[in-house]
Amino acid sequence: MRTKTNQRFNLKTLLLVIFSAFFLLFVLRSSLSRDQETSSSPTSSKKFSSTKNGKHSNCSRNCDKIPLALAQALIHYSTSTITPQQTLKEISVTERVLQKKSPCNFLVFGLGHDSLMWSSLNFGGRTVFLEEDEAWIEQIRRRFPMLESYHVSYDSKVTQADNLMDVGQGPECTAVSDPSLIWFQLISLHWLGTTLSRYSMCQLALKSLPKEIYEMKWDLIMVDAPTGYYEEAPGRMTAIYTAGMMARNRDEGETDVFVHDVNREVEDKFSRAFLCEGYMKKQEGRLRHFNIPSHKDGQNRPFCPE
């Protein structure tokens, strides 16, 4: 999710428009709430007392101030010369879903200059970033300490993609199981002296993520990492598979999953195979959007719709 400097004008314009819209919505909501309080209480005008310098000494909690997170995002993207890697149209696909679902739980594989944008578009929700490069995490944390991010290690390589595709067709990879149970089994094995990397129900599953990642029910998942543009890179095989299984393991409801860079072979094949063409809602440029329903709601769904 590291970024390039192309298409700066269009992307910066989009970001400024989006954040401005959030600000206007916030002001309108605050004003409406304040008006309702005023109309319901004839003595509400006495809530504010003036000081000698003419300022209000008891400002209501509904003061019309832009939230700090949105203010920082506005300042950053209006002054930065670096813009998100995704194009204007690609960003808009996810942004439209966030308009409907936020505030929500949003998991993002990858951490970069666009992370503040995703977090701000999900204002009031929880947005978590998973990143392979510890040094990069520290660099971003110094700039944006409000972002929640975790380090993730991958033991796969792009050169293993064909073998992992074959493995992924086996019953141990297509069966829907409880992620919390898997985590309990992993912890149990760890206490018995067995390392996490040796335990595998499916070789494609990521099993060493932070515990809270498995416990959370994610409404949106974005796969824009790890690195996958050269043969020795980790590739996104395991991230794509894991995102799909997290969606299927919801007790109810649906999860929107987005995969970037589907112009590359791994992202193309693995998203079609494990997120399923039948669940694909849209492709815009290098971004695919899938909407995956719960497979634990009693409807006995196949791994992919026929």
Side-chain angles (χ1 to χ4, degrees):
M1 293 178 67
R2 315 262 175 106
T3 57
K4 300 179 181 179
T5 57
N6 59 334
Q7 300 173 315
R8 295 176 184 169
F9 179 78
N10 287 338
L11 287 172
K12 288 178 72 173
T13 301
L14 170 69
L15 294 172
L16 289 173
V17 169
I18 291 172
F19 292 133
S20 297
F22 267 89
F23 171 65
L24 290 174
L25 180 61
F26 173 80
V27 171
L28 288 173
R29 285 179 176 176
S30 298
S31 298
L32 179 59
S33 176
R34 184 183 57 194
D35 291 343
Q36 288 175 342
E37 289 180 1
T38 302
S39 61
S40 63
S41 176
T43 60
S44 61
S45 60
K46 297 180 181 180
K47 289 182 180 179
F48 300 97
S49 60
S50 300
T51 62
K52 292 182 180 180
N53 59 9
K55 294 182 180 180
H56 296 305
S57 59
N58 295 314
C59 183
S60 167
R61 291 185 178 181
N62 290 327
C63 289
D64 297 336
K65 289 184 178 180
I66 184 172
L68 179 60
L70 293 183
Q72 290 174 326
L74 277 169
I75 293 171
H76 170 70
Y77 287 111
S78 62
T79 58
S80 176
T81 58
I82 303 176
T83 54
Q85 186 177 0
Q86 294 187 26
T87 67
L88 172 70
K89 291 183 178 179
E90 290 168 353
I91 291 172
S92 299
V93 174
T94 309
E95 187 269 333
R96 282 192 290 269
V97 177
L98 280 170
Q99 279 188 355
K100 297 177 181 178
K101 288 195 169 184
S102 66
C104 63
N105 297 320
F106 187 10
L107 179 65
V108 183
F109 286 84
L111 179 69
H113 296 287
D114 56 356
S115 298
L116 183 60
M117 174 189 69
W118 295 128
S119 180
S120 299
L121 290 176
N122 188 31
F123 180 74
R126 184 180 185 186
T127 306
V128 177
F129 303 91
L130 304 178
E131 170 60 38
E132 65 197 279
D133 188 339
E134 288 186 281
W136 181 247
I137 291 175
E138 292 305 314
Q139 182 178 340
I140 294 297
R141 279 179 178 171
R142 286 194 294 270
R143 297 186 61 190
F144 310 120
M146 75 291 292
L147 298 181
E148 183 180 359
S149 59
Y150 299 93
H151 176 248
V152 179
S153 297
Y154 298 90
D155 57 7
S156 59
K157 293 183 179 180
V158 172
T159 53
Q160 301 171 330
D162 289 341
N163 178 60
L164 289 173
M165 177 63 77
D166 292 337
V167 169
Q169 308 307 314
E172 71 277 9
C173 294
T174 57
V176 176
S177 55
D178 189 344
S180 61
L181 178 60
I182 292 174
W183 177 259
F184 175 77
Q185 292 170 332
L186 289 172
I187 292 299
S188 299
L189 287 171
H190 177 72
W191 282 108
L192 290 171
T194 305
T195 60
L196 296 179
S197 60
R198 289 177 58 188
Y199 177 81
S200 176
M201 293 182 66
C202 175
Q203 192 177 347
L204 273 167
L206 289 171
K207 306 174 195 68
S208 59
L209 300 178
K211 181 181 178 181
E212 53 265 39
I213 301 300
Y214 299 107
E215 294 176 343
M216 182 67 65
K217 302 303 180 184
W218 300 102
D219 301 298
L220 279 78
I221 303 177
M222 170 77 72
V223 180
D224 205 359
T227 307
Y229 60 86
Y230 60 95
E231 290 188 347
E232 295 302 309
R236 299 178 186 172
M237 301 83 68
T238 56
I240 291 172
Y241 172 83
T242 301
M245 294 307 289
M246 285 179 171
R248 291 177 176 87
N249 272 303
R250 289 180 66 113
D251 291 331
E252 59 183 2
E254 301 173 337
T255 304
D256 291 282
V257 181
F258 306 86
V259 179
H260 195 228
D261 296 316
V262 294
N263 56 306
R264 300 193 302 222
E265 184 176 7
V266 166
E267 285 81 354
D268 175 35
K269 290 184 176 180
F270 276 74
S271 64
R272 291 182 186 276
F274 299 109
L275 303 182
C276 304
E277 291 189 60
Y279 291 142
M280 186 164 67
K281 304 295 290 185
K282 183 180 180 65
Q283 178 169 340
E284 182 62 63
R286 297 173 295 157
L287 183 81
R288 278 189 192 143
H289 171 207
F290 299 83
N291 183 263
I292 303 177
S294 165
H295 280 216
K296 297 175 66 178
D297 58 3
Q299 296 193 31
N300 197 27
R301 292 185 173 89
F303 187 81
C304 284
E306 299 177 354

